[in-house]
Amino acid sequence: MQFVSHGTLAAALAMACLPTLVHAEDGAPATKVSAQIFVNASQLDRDGVETADEGLAMDLKRTFITVDHRFNERWTAQVTTDVQWLRNSDVSDLWLRHAYLQRSFGKGSWLRLGNAPTPWIAQESAREGFRYVDAGLIARTKLGTPADYGVHGQYSRGDFVYAASVVTGGGFQKPRLGNRADVEARVGWTPAKGVELAMGGYRGTRAQDSGDLPHEHTAQRWNTMASWVGERARVGGQYFSAQDWTRITKPGSDDQRGWSAWSSYQFTPQYAVFARVDETRMSLDIDPRTRERYQQVGVEWKPNKHLRLAMVGKRVEQETAKKKLESHEAGLWAQIAF
């Protein structure tokens, strides 16, 4: 049985308790510090294979420390650090998840320069609503990165929101440059209160074609999502189709497909239930029997605005031409926010 040291958790909690530094009147300079911690203690069992991460253990999935500074009504900046410590592993490097300067152009419209959230993953997490339990479909399957270095813009008009990023493609964890920039875009339409219909896409080489590496293919991903967020309930689903995401410098083309559906219901301000199902096929051409099904169900308790605590059960089925694996995980997941 493996646990993160008490000293590490104490340090993380201490950082999370950093107070807001400055409160100022509207339009005046202001700086504030906030934090989020995603942590879980769970029992993981894998059928068909023995791995080092089985058993009861604790994961410090994410520790975000964010500094927001407002220069004036138009100009702001944000820096967010990110630390992860998974079971049976050494503590990760300290990542710079966000570091950008923003110019606002009215409600919902802005331009960001630097390492900022990408258009699709941030929105899929916001609509599903339980990021601290697991990342959304695109982030979980690693068919995208939640933040990247480049130029990011959003324009809001009426019921439509348009967002686009021109980025390095290397992501925020291991920044690097390729021979060309990647592009990601998203269009969202809100035809009724709480309803959003969205489409998006990504095209580029993910910074994998630098140096002497051959450029065999260009990665592409297309997304659609429909969701409704009400006062008590959330319902939604999304679908992706990708080509050559892992074949940029390799011969032979390969396609990927997947979908996700989720729902939740808030019985009281403190208690909610939620469920989610993902299914992906990550090698339709080279190994068409490759398939994964992810299932999640849970009950959440929110005693106050700082803590979300969920009892969760997960099941993952993975199949390839050579083997079939199944894993089960159950335990407690928490989000601590200050």
Side-chain angles (χ1 to χ4, degrees), residues 128-198:
E128 192 259 339
F130 290 86
R131 170 62 185 88
Y132 73 98
V133 176
D134 245 336
L137 175 67
I138 300 303
R140 195 181 71 82
T141 55
K142 301 187 185 304
L143 282 168
T145 179
D148 204 347
Y149 289 84
V151 179
H152 310 256
Q154 179 173 292
Y155 175 67
S156 178
R157 184 177 178 84
D159 297 332
F160 289 87
V161 175
Y162 309 87
S165 296
V166 180
V167 294
T168 67
F172 72 95
Q173 292 182 339
K174 296 180 179 180
R176 59 190 185 275
L177 293 173
N179 293 330
R180 66 205 72 194
D182 289 10
V183 178
E184 182 172 356
R186 181 182 182 278
V187 178
W189 176 41
T190 305
K193 183 179 179 180
V195 176
E196 186 187 57
L197 307 177

Side-chain angles (χ1 to χ4, degrees), residues 95-273:
W95 296 315
L96 192 62
R97 189 175 181 99
H98 300 154
Y100 62 83
L101 182 68
Q102 175 176 307
R103 171 65 159 89
S104 297
F105 299 93
K107 186 177 180 180
S109 299
W110 40 256
L111 185 68
R112 293 170 177 171
L113 179 63
N115 180 18
T118 50
W120 192 266
I121 289 179
Q123 192 66 4
E124 76 172 357
S125 295
R127 302 301 289 182
E128 192 259 339
F130 290 86
R131 170 62 185 88
Y132 73 98
V133 176
D134 245 336
L137 175 67
I138 300 303
R140 195 181 71 82
T141 55
K142 301 187 185 304
L143 282 168
T145 179
D148 204 347
Y149 289 84
V151 179
H152 310 256
Q154 179 173 292
Y155 175 67
S156 178
R157 184 177 178 84
D159 297 332
F160 289 87
V161 175
Y162 309 87
S165 296
V166 180
V167 294
T168 67
F172 72 95
Q173 292 182 339
K174 296 180 179 180
R176 59 190 185 275
L177 293 173
N179 293 330
R180 66 205 72 194
D182 289 10
V183 178
E184 182 172 356
R186 181 182 182 278
V187 178
W189 176 41
T190 305
K193 183 179 179 180
V195 176
E196 186 187 57
L197 307 177
M199 296 181 61
Y202 186 103
R203 180 179 174 84
T205 58
R206 302 176 57 216
Q208 294 186 11
D209 61 342
S210 60
D212 297 329
L213 291 174
H215 175 203
E216 297 285 346
H217 304 283
T218 298
Q220 299 183 78
R221 190 193 75 231
W222 302 100
N223 303 81
T224 59
M225 180 167 59
S227 60
W228 171 71
V229 178
E231 293 184 2
R232 289 180 175 267
R234 293 173 180 261
V235 179
Q238 66 168 308
Y239 172 84
F240 76 82
S241 172
Q243 296 83 43
D244 299 317
W245 198 261
T246 61
R247 311 299 298 181
I248 295 166
T249 61
K250 301 175 183 178
S253 184
D254 204 5
D255 293 350
Q256 299 81 37
R257 303 284 187 276
W259 59 267
S260 176
W262 63 86
S263 64
S264 64
Y265 187 79
Q266 195 82 36
F267 288 99
T268 71
Q270 290 77 36
Y271 292 97
V273 294

Side-chain angles (χ1 to χ4, degrees), residues 129-133 264-274 297-303 307-312 333-335:
F130 290 86
R131 170 62 185 88
Y132 73 98
V133 176
S264 64
Y265 187 79
Q266 195 82 36
F267 288 99
T268 71
Q270 290 77 36
Y271 292 97
V273 294
F274 57 93
V297 63
V299 179
E300 182 185 64
W301 175 50
K302 292 192 291 187
L307 177 64
R308 299 176 67 180
L309 186 66
M311 183 178 295
V312 183
W333 275 253
Q335 173 184 290

